[in-house]
Amino acid sequence: MAVVSIFVGNLPWATTDEDLHELFSQFGEVKRSKIVLDRETNRSRGFGFVDMEEADAARAIEAWNGQPYNGRVLTVNLAQSRPARA
DNA sequence: GTTGAGCGTT
């Protein structure tokens, strides 16, 4: 079983990591959910990341990418930065 | 008490 990181963008600024966790838990076990906060202000940057099994991640991406959430159309995709720890 | 493309601090 391989865990992959999912990039989630265009989130409402009120979205929290637990919100992300709930959203993606619908399609599988969420290993980690994280909203990226501005390091200077600690406020949401409007995007985040979720780690889960790649099969579940694929379903969650298909389910949420381009779908509206809280009035915003989400951008959901496989993460690019932060290489996996070896 | 604000903003709106983009890939995170461990």
Side-chain angles (χ1 to χ4, degrees), chain A residues 4 14-15 26 40 45:
Chain A
V4 296
T15 308
Q26 303 175 50
E40 302 180 14
R45 286 188 184 175

Side-chain angles (χ1 to χ4, degrees), chain A residues 2 7-9 11-12 20 31 44-45 49 52 55 62 71 74-76 79 83:
Chain A
F7 170 81
V8 187
L11 289 167
L20 263 190
K31 309 294 184 182
S44 173
R45 286 188 184 175
F49 294 90
M52 58 195 310
E62 291 298 313
L74 298 182
T75 297
V76 186

Side-chain angles (χ1 to χ4, degrees), chain A residues 8-15 20 23 44-47 63-76:
Chain A
V8 187
N10 206 36
L11 289 167
W13 291 308
T15 308
L20 263 190
L23 286 175
S44 173
R45 286 188 184 175
F47 66 95
W64 279 115
N65 187 31
Q67 297 302 126
Y69 170 71
N70 240 318
R72 308 298 173 187
V73 177
L74 298 182
T75 297
V76 186

Side-chain angles (χ1 to χ4, degrees), chain A residues 33-53:
Chain A
S33 60
K34 186 54 148 316
I35 291 287
V36 179
L37 303 179
D38 190 288
R39 198 189 165 290
E40 302 180 14
T41 65
N42 277 351
R43 292 176 200 186
S44 173
R45 286 188 184 175
F47 66 95
F49 294 90
V50 176
D51 296 335
M52 58 195 310
E53 299 297 331

Side-chain angles (χ1 to χ4, degrees), chain A residues 15-34:
Chain A
T15 308
T16 67
D17 48 359
E18 359 180 276
D19 291 328
L20 263 190
H21 190 281
E22 290 185 23
L23 286 175
F24 285 82
S25 290
Q26 303 175 50
F27 301 96
E29 179 187 0
V30 176
K31 309 294 184 182
R32 184 79 208 244
S33 60
K34 186 54 148 316

